[in-house]
Amino acid sequence: DADVTQTPRNRITKTGKRIMLECSQTKGHDRMYWYRQDPGLGLRLIYYSFDVKDINKGEISDGYSVSRQAQAKFSLSLESAIPNQTALYFCATSDSGVEADTQYFGPGTRLTVL
Amino acid sequence: QKEVEQNSGPLSVPEGAIASLNCTYSDRGSQSFFWYRQYSGKSPELIMFIYSNGDKEDGRFTAQLNKASQYVSLLIRDSQPSDSATYLCAVRNGGATNKLIFGTGTLLAVQP
């Protein structure tokens, strides 16, 4: 089984709908991240969490919210989806120890907002 | 100036050749440097990381770091068609938080 899983893998929705993307990990890592990837813009950090009670905004958090339900689960919500949120979304995890900088990515969710 | 810059490519090399991928960064306080490989539509996969100046080798891959010149490179020896992918450079900045800044990637095409 994959260490980092994301659901759904693909989603098509309409403008104004509320969407939740979920991420689960079995790596035992404390730290979790949400990124979006757009052609020509690379990976950009939306939110990150260093433990269950810690939530931090990344560089592009507007229009998004997150919930860290447990050490292993980190969800990303789009309260009212808009077309420019169409992108590939990745969850990532990292340890808090010696290799804290190394991030491992889930398979991604391709989101299309019509 | 972007924080992490890479040539978007495509970089085309013949099979068996050495592919050289370069990355420059702007934050002199950057601590850790990573190379990820990403196939089209797939997630980034860690190839290797480097923390200290000099070279670090892992199989066909060598990462080179020069903090004085603020660049990091990845060499791929004996390039194979399966190496064709986008290579992302990531840098942890000098701040207290563990945030990686990614470049936009270089597309490598290895010609059979």
Side-chain angles (χ1 to χ4, degrees):
Chain A
D1 288 342
D3 294 322
V4 185
T5 58
Q6 293 183 234
T7 55
R9 295 293 310 280
N10 288 282
R11 181 72 184 267
I12 300 174
T13 191
K14 295 182 179 180
T15 297
K17 294 292 188 180
R18 184 178 188 274
I19 297 297
M20 179 179 286
L21 309 182
E22 299 187 339
C23 177
S24 295
Q25 53 111 349
T26 59
K27 298 183 78 67
H29 289 169
D30 291 324
R31 302 178 175 189
M32 299 186 73
Y33 311 81
W34 275 105
Y35 292 89
R36 67 177 279 176
Q37 188 175 39
D38 300 273
L41 295 178
L43 282 161
R44 293 182 291 166
L45 184 63
I46 306 172
Y47 272 95
Y48 61 102
S49 168
F50 283 177
D51 63 40
V52 175
K53 296 181 180 180
D54 176 76
I55 300 290
N56 304 281
K57 293 182 178 180
E59 59 181 306
I60 54 162
S61 58
D62 287 349
Y64 301 95
S65 62
V66 290
S67 173
R68 184 81 184 266
Q69 300 97 323
Q71 186 206 33
K73 296 184 182 295
F74 193 35
S75 299
L76 176 72
S77 293
L78 288 68
E79 296 300 326
S80 180
I82 56 177
N84 77 0
Q85 291 177 314
T86 293
L88 190 52
Y89 289 83
F90 290 106
C91 173
T93 73
S94 71
D95 201 356
S96 56
V98 175
E99 294 195 358
D101 293 344
T102 304
Q103 295 185 13
Y104 299 90
F105 287 80
T109 294
R110 185 169 296 280
L111 176 66
T112 303
V113 183
L114 301 177
Chain B
Q1 180 187 9
K2 293 181 181 178
E3 294 181 80
V4 178
E5 293 206 54
Q6 297 180 255
N7 188 318
S8 61
L11 173 65
S12 183
V13 300
E15 184 174 355
I18 296 175
S20 178
L21 304 160
N22 299 311
C23 172
T24 59
Y25 59 93
S26 59
D27 183 354
R28 282 196 171 275
S30 296
Q31 304 285 327
S32 314
F33 307 85
F34 301 82
W35 284 100
Y36 286 83
R37 177 176 62 199
Q38 186 176 25
Y39 294 109
S40 181
K42 304 297 185 181
S43 60
E45 172 193 10
L46 180 70
I47 297 175
M48 61 193 306
F49 57 84
I50 186 167
Y51 297 153
S52 304
N53 275 330
D55 295 359
K56 179 181 179 182
E57 186 174 320
D58 184 359
R60 296 187 297 113
F61 299 97
T62 299
Q64 299 175 317
L65 175 61
N66 184 323
K67 289 186 177 181
S69 299
Q70 295 177 244
Y71 82 78
V72 56
S73 62
L74 179 70
L75 301 178
I76 307 175
R77 289 182 298 281
D78 188 23
S79 295
Q80 301 297 309
S82 59
D83 294 326
S84 299
T86 296
Y87 289 80
L88 304 175
C89 171
V91 175
R92 182 170 86 78
N93 58 22
T97 56
N98 178 32
K99 290 196 293 184
L100 294 187
I101 308 299
F102 285 84
T104 54
T106 298
L107 178 62
L108 173 66
V110 181
Q111 307 299 326

